[in-house]
Amino acid sequence: MTTIGLIRHGSTLWNKEGRIQGHTDNPLDEEGLRQAAAIAERLRGEEWDYLYSSDLLRAVQTAEVISERLGIPVTGLVPGIREMNGGLIEGTTEDERVERWGSGWKSIDMELESDKSGQERGSRAIEEIAARHPGKKILVVSHGAILRSTLRRLVPGLDVTVLLKNTSITHVVKDGNGWTCALYNCVSHIDAERP
């Protein structure tokens, strides 16, 4: 049985502003660094063997905080789990999109990466990581949209309508029958930090 802990990166200024990030390489904000410390502290009480990250800065910074707290090096940066390409809408808010392209902007080709592409890219990357470390427990720091697309492919039928929160953890387990989801979008470590 191989377990993968999928973690969404900590928050960024663009998360707070409601801007599409996609491949834009934004850093964590102060809250994001605190969230990374909180998930790292939670994970410290668990056994994990490997740690991978998307190659985008916000994920790498989250992974580095986890790495330092757990004493596990970042095994590799994986472009296959970088966020989905936001095309022409990267860097914009909903209001800006409506102002620029009108309220029907979603019906226009914005050069966005398709969900199908995200499913194929993300699931292939996760399958490759799992094949590299059979029977191990592996943490993977990535991004909300690509993780949801990946989960649609790995665990068909899983309800992924609830958006993944910053530094949420989702456990997927692979055995002889394929993948199952044992935990989805858990943020108890963040809830515990709130006064």
Side-chain angles (χ1 to χ4, degrees), residues 49-188:
D49 302 305
Y50 296 96
L51 172 61
Y52 284 85
S53 175
S54 151
D55 59 346
L56 294 176
L57 181 59
R58 57 194 183 272
V60 171
Q61 287 180 312
T62 304
E64 285 172 345
V65 172
I66 294 168
S67 171
E68 186 176 319
R69 189 70 55 100
L70 271 59
I72 301 173
V74 177
T75 307
L77 302 183
V78 183
I81 54 170
R82 69 167 31 195
E83 185 56 294
M84 294 178 68
N85 190 330
L88 300 177
I89 67 171
E90 279 196 24
T92 66
T93 65
E94 176 66 19
D95 288 346
E96 290 167 349
R97 292 188 287 278
V98 169
E99 184 179 316
R100 195 172 301 170
W101 297 293
S103 58
W105 70 267
K106 289 182 182 175
S107 64
I108 301 169
D109 178 8
M110 292 293 174
E111 300 173 18
L112 302 173
E113 182 174 3
S114 70
D115 184 57
K116 182 174 188 255
S117 168
Q119 286 186 31
E120 290 171 357
R121 174 168 64 85
S123 63
R124 183 171 49 248
I126 295 302
E127 290 281 11
E128 286 170 2
I129 290 169
R132 206 171 296 143
H133 309 291
K136 298 297 185 180
K137 294 185 70 180
I138 308 144
L139 294 169
V140 175
V141 182
S142 185
H143 310 265
I146 189 65
L147 286 176
R148 287 174 64 228
S149 287
T150 300
L151 286 164
R152 281 189 191 100
R153 174 62 62 93
L154 293 179
V155 190
L158 178 67
D159 181 1
V160 294
T161 54
V162 176
L163 298 181
L164 295 170
K165 296 181 180 175
N166 289 111
T167 68
S168 64
I169 186 162
T170 297
H171 289 178
V172 289
V173 178
K174 184 173 190 177
D175 61 18
N177 298 316
W179 292 94
T180 54
C181 183
L183 180 70
Y184 182 75
N185 199 25
C186 182
V187 288
S188 59

